[in-house]
Amino acid sequence: MRILSGIQPTGRFHWGNYFGAIRQYIALQDGHEAYYFIANLHALTTVRDPLRLRRATLDAALDLLALGLDPDRATLFVQSDVPEVSELCWLLMTNAPMGLLERCVAYKEKKAKGLTADAGLFTYPVLMAADILAYDADLVPVGEDQVQHIEVCRDLARSFNHLYGDVFAMPRAQLMESSAKVPGTDGEKMSKSYDNTIEIFEEPASVRKKVMRITTDSRAMEEPKAPETDHLFQLYSLFADAPRREEMAALYRRGGFGYGTVKKELAAVAEEFFGDARARRRELEGDLERVEAILADGAARARRKAAQVLHRAQQACGVPVRSR
Ligand code: TYM
């Protein structure tokens, strides 16, 4: 089984990225051939500051390695280091229906807000399809918000295969049920664009501050509360082990406690949860040459695979490359 996924370096990774995606990347690197990349070309649709983008790309690599992505077990690389993908994107674009892209949520939302969208945002899902198809990926671990994009990828692969023969493998999304949508500090989906994130490697004091500001309802302390529908409890459940989770759920049902108690527990359990990764990240920061070498090696491995698939696609649609 070949696994592939990408993550944008648009800012520091947050809890939503971790529980929605990164945790799965790490779990899936065992027993599969896994490719994970930092989607800096996608990030160009929102980050227009070159220094910031370079720094965020390196930070993304540091974060992923510190969290447990193992370059001996998975191929880690930067999207722009594999130019074959952009070429493949064009081939897919020639057969991508406008209507299909117009239905994509990121573009639709921007349009609905009356903002001007550029061609990069409009064709974002096609580049994403190229990312996936270039590696013959079978499984794409993602959070719920990316499922539509995987469907677009499947549509594009299907119609390309229909026209030109069996060129692309058919990928599918792998969603983690328990954490399909990690809520942010306001209860909406945690996302940089909603300004409701808590970053994985944020200073503990700053995490505590944000946790204390998580919105809660205003029911009196004595009243019993339903844990299932409470986003503070949902966040707590992501970090706590089963016995602690059960204990907290029982406290909710019993009532007679303040949300401040839960928040303090959440901040403590989160700090403990990412403690080892925080130490590993500090070590890696002191050895950036090693990180660069890991990325260069990952790029070489990824390019080998993507070149094969691009060649196949070029042959199939009548644009073979003469010199190679
Ligand atoms: P990105 O960078 O927005 O997010 C990376 C991953 O994190 C997940 N995620 C969440 N999951 C649950 N709850 C949340 N609050 C939350 N916030 C983020 C996302 O679902 C995603 O899996 N277009 C992609 C990057 C990409 C890609 C690809 C992914 C480019 N090419 C090819 C897979 C395959 C994106 O913007 O993800």
Side-chain angles (χ1 to χ4, degrees):
M1 188 87 87
R2 194 172 289 118
I3 313 287
L4 170 123
S5 201
I7 189 160
Q8 286 196 75
T10 43
R12 297 300 300 278
F13 295 148
H14 53 73
W15 291 359
N17 294 133
Y18 182 75
F19 290 104
I22 298 170
R23 184 171 62 167
Q24 300 181 72
Y25 301 168
I26 291 159
L28 288 167
Q29 68 189 356
D30 287 318
H32 300 284
E33 184 183 342
Y35 290 81
Y36 299 123
F37 67 92
I38 300 159
N40 60 343
L41 294 177
H42 278 111
L44 263 183
T45 61
T46 48
V47 185
R48 265 78 188 227
D49 174 342
L51 276 182
R52 213 186 107 206
L53 185 56
R54 287 180 81 138
R55 179 67 229 184
T57 304
L58 180 64
D59 270 331
L62 285 165
D63 284 0
L64 291 169
L65 292 167
L67 288 164
L69 205 143
D70 178 356
D72 292 330
R73 284 182 282 169
T75 299
L76 173 66
F77 62 100
V78 176
Q79 189 180 29
S80 61
D81 282 336
V82 187
E84 285 79 4
V85 168
S86 300
E87 286 191 52
L88 187 61
C89 179
W90 176 256
L91 301 186
L92 293 170
M93 205 107 81
T94 58
N95 192 35
M98 297 288 284
L100 181 68
L101 302 181
E102 273 159 5
R103 283 196 295 277
C104 287
V105 172
Y107 170 74
K108 231 165 70 177
E109 276 180 359
K110 199 154 185 183
K111 281 280 283 198
K113 282 191 200 141
L115 300 168
T116 49
D118 47 43
L121 182 72
F122 186 65
T123 55
Y124 183 111
V126 188
L127 179 58
M128 192 162 153
D131 285 328
I132 298 168
L133 300 175
Y135 306 97
D136 284 333
D138 302 301
L139 214 59
V140 187
V142 283
E144 205 175 64
D145 59 332
Q146 297 299 320
V147 172
Q148 185 188 34
H149 291 151
I150 315 290
E151 280 309 313
V152 170
C153 173
R154 289 168 59 87
D155 279 357
L156 296 180
R158 211 175 284 119
S159 65
F160 199 96
N161 284 352
H162 182 67
L163 269 174
Y164 300 119
D166 230 3
V167 176
F168 296 123
M170 200 54 79
R172 73 195 155 76
Q174 159 132 342
L175 199 78
M176 210 133 104
E177 286 306 326
S178 60
S179 56
K181 201 184 265 183
V182 177
T185 51
D186 55 359
E188 295 302 315
K189 175 198 148 189
M190 187 176 286
S191 165
K192 276 158 274 198
S193 36
Y194 299 153
D195 197 18
N196 63 0
T197 61
I198 302 180
E199 291 163 11
I200 299 170
F201 293 114
E202 197 160 336
E203 282 309 313
S206 168
V207 171
R208 274 195 293 279
K209 227 159 127 191
K210 285 191 182 172
V211 167
M212 293 320 279
R213 274 195 244 118
I214 292 175
T215 54
T216 48
D217 65 30
S218 52
R219 260 175 300 172
M221 275 177 66
E222 303 73 46
E223 273 183 68
K225 301 165 179 77
E228 302 78 21
T229 54
D230 181 65
H231 57 269
L232 179 59
F233 180 79
Q234 278 166 30
L235 285 171
Y236 181 78
S237 310
L238 293 172
F239 293 101
D241 55 21
R244 275 158 118 174
R245 201 160 52 228
E246 272 318 301
E247 209 179 303
M248 184 62 81
L251 190 66
Y252 264 75
R253 291 192 196 97
R254 209 165 45 235
F257 73 100
Y259 285 117
T261 318
V262 192
K263 289 178 177 177
K264 279 203 193 96
E265 276 292 312
L266 170 59
V269 87
E271 188 176 343
E272 186 186 315
F273 189 91
F274 290 124
D276 291 347
R278 197 181 288 279
R280 267 199 304 275
R281 196 181 193 288
R282 250 182 258 121
E283 244 173 69
L284 284 163
E285 271 166 34
D287 194 0
L288 293 183
E289 265 176 39
R290 186 170 146 234
V291 177
E292 284 298 337
I294 289 170
L295 293 177
D297 179 57
R301 277 193 265 165
R303 279 195 86 170
R304 271 199 295 280
K305 178 68 198 162
Q308 287 169 9
V309 177
L310 176 64
H311 179 68
R312 212 160 70 206
Q314 287 168 327
Q315 291 282 345
C317 64
V319 293
V321 175
R322 288 191 175 77
S323 68
R324 202 171 271 284

PDB file of all heavy atoms in Angstrom, residues 184-199:
ATOM      1  N   GLY A 184     -11.537  24.437  17.253  1.00  0.00           N
ATOM      2  CA  GLY A 184     -10.626  25.493  17.695  1.00  0.00           C
ATOM      3  C   GLY A 184     -11.100  26.100  19.005  1.00  0.00           C
ATOM      4  O   GLY A 184     -12.067  25.616  19.618  1.00  0.00           O
ATOM      5  N   THR A 185     -10.473  27.187  19.436  1.00  0.00           N
ATOM      6  CA  THR A 185     -10.789  27.765  20.739  1.00  0.00           C
ATOM      7  C   THR A 185     -12.208  28.341  20.795  1.00  0.00           C
ATOM      8  O   THR A 185     -12.751  28.580  21.860  1.00  0.00           O
ATOM      9  CB  THR A 185      -9.791  28.888  21.094  1.00  0.00           C
ATOM     10  OG1 THR A 185      -9.727  29.781  19.982  1.00  0.00           O
ATOM     11  CG2 THR A 185      -8.408  28.343  21.368  1.00  0.00           C
ATOM     12  N   ASP A 186     -12.817  28.548  19.612  1.00  0.00           N
ATOM     13  CA  ASP A 186     -14.189  29.072  19.592  1.00  0.00           C
ATOM     14  C   ASP A 186     -15.221  27.986  19.265  1.00  0.00           C
ATOM     15  O   ASP A 186     -16.402  28.277  19.084  1.00  0.00           O
ATOM     16  CB  ASP A 186     -14.294  30.194  18.551  1.00  0.00           C
ATOM     17  CG  ASP A 186     -13.843  29.730  17.168  1.00  0.00           C
ATOM     18  OD1 ASP A 186     -13.433  28.551  17.049  1.00  0.00           O
ATOM     19  OD2 ASP A 186     -13.918  30.528  16.224  1.00  0.00           O
ATOM     20  N   GLY A 187     -14.763  26.740  19.123  1.00  0.00           N
ATOM     21  CA  GLY A 187     -15.700  25.651  18.853  1.00  0.00           C
ATOM     22  C   GLY A 187     -15.884  25.378  17.367  1.00  0.00           C
ATOM     23  O   GLY A 187     -16.382  24.327  16.981  1.00  0.00           O
ATOM     24  N   GLU A 188     -15.466  26.327  16.508  1.00  0.00           N
ATOM     25  CA  GLU A 188     -15.489  26.069  15.054  1.00  0.00           C
ATOM     26  C   GLU A 188     -14.294  25.186  14.721  1.00  0.00           C
ATOM     27  O   GLU A 188     -13.415  24.983  15.556  1.00  0.00           O
ATOM     28  CB  GLU A 188     -15.361  27.392  14.286  1.00  0.00           C
ATOM     29  CG  GLU A 188     -16.518  28.350  14.458  1.00  0.00           C
ATOM     30  CD  GLU A 188     -17.841  27.741  14.046  1.00  0.00           C
ATOM     31  OE1 GLU A 188     -17.885  27.094  12.970  1.00  0.00           O
ATOM     32  OE2 GLU A 188     -18.820  27.859  14.792  1.00  0.00           O
ATOM     33  N   LYS A 189     -14.205  24.721  13.466  1.00  0.00           N
ATOM     34  CA  LYS A 189     -13.048  23.915  13.071  1.00  0.00           C
ATOM     35  C   LYS A 189     -11.748  24.702  13.336  1.00  0.00           C
ATOM     36  O   LYS A 189     -11.679  25.888  13.014  1.00  0.00           O
ATOM     37  CB  LYS A 189     -13.155  23.602  11.570  1.00  0.00           C
ATOM     38  CG  LYS A 189     -11.971  22.883  11.013  1.00  0.00           C
ATOM     39  CD  LYS A 189     -11.926  23.001   9.506  1.00  0.00           C
ATOM     40  CE  LYS A 189     -10.486  23.017   9.059  1.00  0.00           C
ATOM     41  NZ  LYS A 189     -10.297  23.341   7.659  1.00  0.00           N
ATOM     42  N   MET A 190     -10.763  24.042  13.940  1.00  0.00           N
ATOM     43  CA  MET A 190      -9.502  24.750  14.190  1.00  0.00           C
ATOM     44  C   MET A 190      -8.811  25.040  12.864  1.00  0.00           C
ATOM     45  O   MET A 190      -8.561  24.140  12.077  1.00  0.00           O
ATOM     46  CB  MET A 190      -8.579  23.922  15.090  1.00  0.00           C
ATOM     47  CG  MET A 190      -7.338  24.702  15.495  1.00  0.00           C
ATOM     48  SD  MET A 190      -6.236  23.860  16.664  1.00  0.00           S
ATOM     49  CE  MET A 190      -7.099  23.971  18.208  1.00  0.00           C
ATOM     50  N   SER A 191      -8.566  26.321  12.616  1.00  0.00           N
ATOM     51  CA  SER A 191      -7.986  26.706  11.333  1.00  0.00           C
ATOM     52  C   SER A 191      -7.326  28.073  11.449  1.00  0.00           C
ATOM     53  O   SER A 191      -7.844  28.970  12.115  1.00  0.00           O
ATOM     54  CB  SER A 191      -9.104  26.752  10.283  1.00  0.00           C
ATOM     55  OG  SER A 191      -8.652  27.448   9.149  1.00  0.00           O
ATOM     56  N   LYS A 192      -6.171  28.189  10.756  1.00  0.00           N
ATOM     57  CA  LYS A 192      -5.463  29.470  10.777  1.00  0.00           C
ATOM     58  C   LYS A 192      -6.385  30.596  10.303  1.00  0.00           C
ATOM     59  O   LYS A 192      -6.360  31.699  10.820  1.00  0.00           O
ATOM     60  CB  LYS A 192      -4.240  29.404   9.864  1.00  0.00           C
ATOM     61  CG  LYS A 192      -3.039  28.797  10.545  1.00  0.00           C
ATOM     62  CD  LYS A 192      -2.042  28.262   9.555  1.00  0.00           C
ATOM     63  CE  LYS A 192      -2.382  26.855   9.145  1.00  0.00           C
ATOM     64  NZ  LYS A 192      -1.340  26.074   8.539  1.00  0.00           N
ATOM     65  N   SER A 193      -7.236  30.273   9.304  1.00  0.00           N
ATOM     66  CA  SER A 193      -8.066  31.346   8.756  1.00  0.00           C
ATOM     67  C   SER A 193      -9.168  31.782   9.728  1.00  0.00           C
ATOM     68  O   SER A 193      -9.771  32.831   9.540  1.00  0.00           O
ATOM     69  CB  SER A 193      -8.627  30.967   7.385  1.00  0.00           C
ATOM     70  OG  SER A 193      -8.932  29.617   7.333  1.00  0.00           O
ATOM     71  N   TYR A 194      -9.458  31.005  10.757  1.00  0.00           N
ATOM     72  CA  TYR A 194     -10.450  31.441  11.752  1.00  0.00           C
ATOM     73  C   TYR A 194      -9.781  32.041  12.994  1.00  0.00           C
ATOM     74  O   TYR A 194     -10.466  32.406  13.952  1.00  0.00           O
ATOM     75  CB  TYR A 194     -11.349  30.283  12.197  1.00  0.00           C
ATOM     76  CG  TYR A 194     -12.149  29.651  11.098  1.00  0.00           C
ATOM     77  CD1 TYR A 194     -12.538  28.321  11.187  1.00  0.00           C
ATOM     78  CD2 TYR A 194     -12.526  30.367   9.966  1.00  0.00           C
ATOM     79  CE1 TYR A 194     -13.273  27.718  10.175  1.00  0.00           C
ATOM     80  CE2 TYR A 194     -13.248  29.772   8.950  1.00  0.00           C
ATOM     81  CZ  TYR A 194     -13.621  28.452   9.058  1.00  0.00           C
ATOM     82  OH  TYR A 194     -14.330  27.859   8.065  1.00  0.00           O
ATOM     83  N   ASP A 195      -8.456  32.058  12.999  1.00  0.00           N
ATOM     84  CA  ASP A 195      -7.730  32.629  14.126  1.00  0.00           C
ATOM     85  C   ASP A 195      -8.142  31.980  15.462  1.00  0.00           C
ATOM     86  O   ASP A 195      -8.357  32.663  16.459  1.00  0.00           O
ATOM     87  CB  ASP A 195      -7.995  34.155  14.161  1.00  0.00           C
ATOM     88  CG  ASP A 195      -6.971  34.877  15.018  1.00  0.00           C
ATOM     89  OD1 ASP A 195      -5.906  34.292  15.282  1.00  0.00           O
ATOM     90  OD2 ASP A 195      -7.254  36.013  15.457  1.00  0.00           O
ATOM     91  N   ASN A 196      -8.277  30.681  15.444  1.00  0.00           N
ATOM     92  CA  ASN A 196      -8.722  29.975  16.653  1.00  0.00           C
ATOM     93  C   ASN A 196      -7.812  28.778  16.956  1.00  0.00           C
ATOM     94  O   ASN A 196      -8.242  27.780  17.518  1.00  0.00           O
ATOM     95  CB  ASN A 196     -10.174  29.496  16.471  1.00  0.00           C
ATOM     96  CG  ASN A 196     -10.297  28.496  15.340  1.00  0.00           C
ATOM     97  OD1 ASN A 196      -9.320  28.149  14.681  1.00  0.00           O
ATOM     98  ND2 ASN A 196     -11.499  28.011  15.112  1.00  0.00           N
ATOM     99  N   THR A 197      -6.543  28.894  16.539  1.00  0.00           N
ATOM    100  CA  THR A 197      -5.655  27.732  16.654  1.00  0.00           C
ATOM    101  C   THR A 197      -4.818  27.761  17.939  1.00  0.00           C
ATOM    102  O   THR A 197      -4.596  28.812  18.533  1.00  0.00           O
ATOM    103  CB  THR A 197      -4.648  27.700  15.484  1.00  0.00           C
ATOM    104  OG1 THR A 197      -3.858  28.890  15.525  1.00  0.00           O
ATOM    105  CG2 THR A 197      -5.352  27.632  14.141  1.00  0.00           C
ATOM    106  N   ILE A 198      -4.371  26.580  18.316  1.00  0.00           N
ATOM    107  CA  ILE A 198      -3.334  26.457  19.342  1.00  0.00           C
ATOM    108  C   ILE A 198      -2.226  25.642  18.690  1.00  0.00           C
ATOM    109  O   ILE A 198      -2.472  24.544  18.181  1.00  0.00           O
ATOM    110  CB  ILE A 198      -3.858  25.756  20.610  1.00  0.00           C
ATOM    111  CG1 ILE A 198      -5.056  26.540  21.180  1.00  0.00           C
ATOM    112  CG2 ILE A 198      -2.741  25.642  21.657  1.00  0.00           C
ATOM    113  CD1 ILE A 198      -5.660  25.951  22.440  1.00  0.00           C
ATOM    114  N   GLU A 199      -1.043  26.239  18.651  1.00  0.00           N
ATOM    115  CA  GLU A 199       0.058  25.588  17.937  1.00  0.00           C
ATOM    116  C   GLU A 199       0.698  24.484  18.775  1.00  0.00           C
ATOM    117  O   GLU A 199       0.750  24.575  20.000  1.00  0.00           O
ATOM    118  CB  GLU A 199       1.123  26.623  17.559  1.00  0.00           C
ATOM    119  CG  GLU A 199       0.629  27.579  16.501  1.00  0.00           C
ATOM    120  CD  GLU A 199       1.476  28.834  16.412  1.00  0.00           C
ATOM    121  OE1 GLU A 199       2.561  28.881  17.025  1.00  0.00           O
ATOM    122  OE2 GLU A 199       1.038  29.774  15.730  1.00  0.00           O
TER     123      GLU A 199
END
